[in-house]
Amino acid sequence: MIWFTRKQKKMARNNTISYLSSKYYDSELKLDKAARRGDLKAVDRAMKEHRDYEYALLCKKSKKY
């Protein structure tokens, strides 16, 4: 079961699905670029951002929230 953080719930409440989707895609590109450079700190930062947008999208689409 997924537990959404306050930040992710707030992101889901305050943004549209299209905005969250575009930011999710942008974060995926950042993650890919950081991985290609081999910068592990940048990969970690990008992964956290990517996870927040992904979970905010899931939260937005779920019926419970």
Side-chain angles (χ1 to χ4, degrees), residues 3-63:
W3 297 99
F4 300 113
T5 64
R6 286 185 198 161
K7 179 181 179 181
Q8 294 159 354
K9 289 178 188 177
K10 184 177 179 181
M11 289 169 69
R13 272 194 313 270
N14 295 334
N15 298 298
T16 63
I17 289 178
S18 62
Y19 175 79
L20 291 172
S21 296
S22 69
K23 296 303 276 184
Y24 174 79
Y25 178 74
D26 292 343
S27 69
E28 197 168 290
L29 293 177
K30 285 182 189 177
L31 184 60
D32 187 50
K33 287 179 185 177
R36 288 177 189 267
R37 285 193 317 263
D39 185 358
L40 294 179
K41 288 184 181 181
V43 168
D44 189 44
R45 285 191 304 271
M47 192 63 213
K48 287 178 183 177
E49 180 182 351
H50 185 72
R51 181 175 34 247
D52 283 339
Y53 283 115
E54 180 179 21
Y55 281 23
L57 273 168
L58 290 173
C59 183
K60 184 84 167 179
K61 292 178 181 180
S62 70
K63 293 180 182 180

